[in-house]
Amino acid sequence: KLMPHPLDKIVQISGTSGLHRVLTTSKQGYLLESLETTPRRWHAPAQSKVAALAEIAIYTQEDQVPLWNVFQNLHRLGMSEAAITEAITNEDSLVALFKEALPEYDAERVYVSDMRKALRWFLVLHGRVDFNASLEPEGGQEAAGAAE
């Protein structure tokens, strides 16, 4: 089953590997479910450094592009998981694939390790997230237009 909203509940916790879904939050911290092949639930303390994928962006020559846009572009390329997995292991293929997904990325500030991490995350989310979904809230475009 695909998640209704792409990335707002998907996080990366500093010091841990992989991605996690936030199930609930409290004063004590976060109840998380890992998005690994065998999901496990665990508690991360409130002081954990949590990065929501919805807030992560990739540097471009001009500005920054949300990670979600990169994921959508990768999805549109229609590559198999095997092809992406193979690209991750070879630096030249990795950079070529990333450049295809985001031609205007800033080569000075986006490191190969960042590219590799983004592609690994894409693979974890593949089949779990609807990459055709919009990040705009329902009716968001009309509301923004009406306010002008």
Side-chain angles (χ1 to χ4, degrees):
K1 184 180 175 235
L2 297 177
M3 288 182 228
H5 187 281
L7 302 179
D8 53 325
K9 296 284 186 194
I10 308 289
V11 298
Q12 198 270 324
I13 309 283
S14 186
T16 68
S17 66
L19 296 176
H20 311 277
R21 182 178 333 185
V22 176
L23 300 174
T24 61
T25 58
S26 69
K27 284 185 228 147
Q28 289 79 35
Y30 306 86
L31 180 60
L32 304 168
E33 180 178 55
S34 71
L35 294 179
E36 302 307 310
T37 41
T38 50
R40 68 180 180 90
R41 290 182 175 199
W42 63 287
H43 184 270
Q47 58 271 34
S48 300
K49 190 173 174 203
V50 175
L53 263 55
E55 297 166 5
I56 294 176
I58 305 292
Y59 289 112
T60 62
Q61 308 295 346
E62 301 293 316
D63 197 14
Q64 296 178 1
V65 170
L67 183 61
W68 177 246
N69 295 25
V70 177
F71 287 167
Q72 286 185 310
N73 293 347
L74 282 166
H75 179 68
R76 285 187 201 110
L77 292 175
M79 292 179 68
S80 70
E81 288 189 37
I84 294 172
T85 302
E86 190 167 321
I88 290 172
T89 63
N90 175 310
E91 191 170 317
D92 293 337
S93 304
L94 174 68
V95 172
L97 173 57
F98 201 83
K99 194 171 194 137
E100 209 174 330
L102 189 66
E104 69 276 20
Y105 84 92
D106 185 340
E108 303 269 311
R109 297 193 286 176
V110 179
Y111 302 110
V112 169
S113 59
D114 300 327
M115 295 176 196
R116 188 170 284 126
K117 191 182 296 184
L119 290 174
R120 283 193 177 124
W121 289 348
F122 174 78
L123 287 175
V124 168
L125 297 174
H126 198 260
R128 291 193 167 110
V129 166
D130 179 3
F131 288 110
N132 297 313
S134 168
L135 281 185
E136 291 297 320
E138 287 303 309
Q141 292 289 33
E142 295 80 38
E148 292 177 336

